[in-house]
Amino acid sequence: MELLVPLWGTLYNASALRIAFARSDDFAREIYMIPPALRLRGPEGGNPEMAEVKLVEVTKKFGNFTAVDQINLEARDGEFVVLVGPSGCGKTTTLRMIAGLEDVTEGEIYIGDRLVNDVPPKDRDIAMVFQNYALYPHMDVYNNMAFGLKLRKVPKKEIDRRVREAAELLGIADKLRAKPRELSGGQRQRVAVGRAIVRDPKVFLFDEPLSNLDAKLRVRMRAELAELHQRLKTTTVYVTHDQVEAMTLGHRVAVMKDGVIQQYDAPQTIYDQPANMFVAGFIGSPPMNFLHAQLSEEDGRVYVIGKGFKLRIPQEKLTDEVRAYVGKAVVFGIRPEDLRTPEMVHGELPEATFPGKVRVREPLGDELIVYADCAGDEVIAKLDPHLHIQPGQEITLVAAMDRMHLFDPETEVAII
């Protein structure tokens, strides 16, 4: 006779649960580790409608520590939204609240039109893919993907159809009888994704699913996830610390710091128009250069003046907000890719140059990263890899002033 264990108000096969529990340290971790396909949901009925996800003034506190602070976020129907930020910024906690694995201290979470604050995870119609795959080692690929459907008493023919369709979609149809130990990291991740796909959820939740893979495989899996979303068009919330994943996968990206969303917008908008210095420095590699300076007006022209440089601001950049800082301190921001040498620039150099001394060069084949000392400040530039530049050499850098940024030194908020 099978021993059944109650969890989230549902009975599960104890032997199956032990496999998941054996890989965890405590009860909270045990719940987190149970693969999404293990969780039962509502009655079967074909492909469910997709749904938007909405967070309204959501806060999560652990004792006196605020992990997530009054965030507002909306993932539209069928949209791929990425939460990105450094460790401890609250992105995974936010995802766990959407999944129902963490209680909401304040605020409301909606999936579709339904308030789900008090709805158990199994009834939220979501599927979650974890960083560590959480596959059952004694089961082959087919049964790993089918296990949750079997628990829900889905007819065998329907299980077979879903599993084989998902396996074909993910390129693992020839691995259905293989055990997890026989698979590569990328193949294991595909199985974990397939296990979520067969559930036909309203929402996919991904918690850093590529972080365990090597660099080359991450690039490949990133492209596969993007293609998969184009086919399925299921609402997706994806958590990562990797800005490249965020920029390449997300329709919109939420950059988080200290439990607060710093900016939520399309990836290119975040890159071109960062809301503050944190976003500007976090998005982009190498990060944006920040130089303390002051704005000065001479003969109707406005200049950014700092240690060792005097750069003219283009007329089209002279907004009322910029003019309000004339005579005041600012932080001048310029991305490494917006710096050139005179050899790389055609035409005149209109008051946009400043000197530097090369400290380090990093040839990468398609580009040359140069770290230069500019009057005591470090400046990073992405240059032509064919330039003969060596450490200790004096160079002149040319700033693309039409792509410059200015920030308030106290609030760190963007001026332009």
Side-chain angles (χ1 to χ4, degrees), residues 83-136:
L83 309 182
V84 66
S87 297
C89 70
K91 57 188 183 295
T92 294
T93 300
T94 300
L95 194 76
R96 287 168 59 82
M97 286 192 288
I98 296 172
L101 303 179
E102 295 285 359
D103 293 331
V104 176
T105 305
E106 297 174 11
E108 299 174 334
I109 297 178
Y110 294 87
I111 296 178
D113 296 327
R114 185 186 187 194
L115 178 65
V116 297
N117 286 43
D118 298 322
V119 176
K122 69 183 180 64
D123 295 327
R124 295 193 181 196
D125 205 1
I126 54 96
M128 194 162 180
V129 178
F130 297 99
Q131 175 180 341
N132 48 25
Y133 321 140
L135 302 180
Y136 302 116

Side-chain angles (χ1 to χ4, degrees), residues 360-371:
V360 177
R361 64 189 300 274
E362 293 181 345
L364 300 177
D366 62 332
E367 62 190 10
L368 174 65
I369 308 296
V370 169
Y371 294 77

Side-chain angles (χ1 to χ4, degrees), residues 54-75:
K54 185 187 296 183
L55 282 68
V56 182
E57 297 292 318
V58 170
T59 295
K60 175 62 180 178
K61 295 182 178 180
F62 296 97
N64 294 325
F65 174 70
T66 301
V68 176
D69 192 7
Q70 295 184 314
I71 67 170
N72 292 282
L73 181 78
E74 180 180 359

Side-chain angles (χ1 to χ4, degrees), residues 128-321:
M128 194 162 180
V129 178
F130 297 99
Q131 175 180 341
N132 48 25
Y133 321 140
L135 302 180
Y136 302 116
H138 73 299
M139 293 184 184
D140 59 22
V141 168
Y142 184 99
N143 285 293
N144 261 285
M145 294 173 65
F147 186 61
L149 299 180
K150 291 178 180 178
L151 286 179
R152 289 154 54 196
K153 309 296 184 184
V154 177
K156 288 184 178 181
K157 286 186 178 180
E158 177 66 10
I159 292 175
D160 189 69
R161 180 189 68 81
R162 291 196 197 183
V163 170
R164 293 188 184 280
E165 283 184 359
E168 191 69 34
L169 181 67
L170 294 165
I172 52 174
D174 61 335
K175 302 292 184 182
L176 288 176
R177 292 307 171 192
K179 297 288 181 63
R181 64 177 177 273
E182 301 170 36
L183 305 177
S184 67
Q187 290 167 338
R188 292 178 190 178
Q189 191 57 273
R190 291 188 189 98
V191 176
V193 173
R195 187 175 50 200
I197 289 174
V198 298
R199 297 190 60 224
D200 289 335
K202 287 184 178 179
V203 179
F204 283 132
L205 304 177
F206 288 88
D207 187 14
E208 305 209 38
L210 308 185
S211 60
N212 284 347
L213 306 180
D214 62 56
K216 185 176 181 179
L217 192 52
R218 278 203 303 273
V219 172
R220 181 178 174 184
M221 287 300 298
R222 200 168 64 221
E224 290 186 6
L225 284 175
E227 184 179 12
L228 182 65
H229 183 265
Q230 290 169 14
R231 293 188 185 184
L232 299 178
K233 301 188 185 303
T234 305
T235 308
T236 300
V237 182
Y238 185 104
V239 161
T240 181
H241 65 277
D242 187 332
Q243 53 153 314
V244 176
E245 285 181 30
M247 296 291 285
T248 55
L249 288 172
H251 295 159
R252 285 192 291 172
V253 175
V255 182
M256 296 186 68
K257 177 190 177 188
D258 299 333
V260 176
I261 294 178
Q262 304 292 309
Q263 188 171 0
Y264 183 39
D265 216 320
Q268 195 63 47
T269 301
I270 289 177
Y271 177 86
D272 292 334
Q273 302 166 30
N276 54 44
M277 288 178 63
F278 173 78
V279 175
F282 189 81
I283 300 296
S285 180
M288 183 182 289
N289 297 295
F290 297 115
L291 301 172
H292 287 276
Q294 185 168 337
L295 294 193
S296 176
E297 187 169 5
E298 301 175 11
D299 300 325
R301 297 178 175 182
V302 178
Y303 294 85
V304 184
I305 301 176
K307 291 190 298 181
F309 66 89
K310 180 179 180 180
L311 309 172
R312 180 162 63 87
I313 299 178
Q315 192 66 31
E316 63 271 17
K317 289 280 190 178
L318 292 180
T319 63
D320 291 340
E321 290 81 6

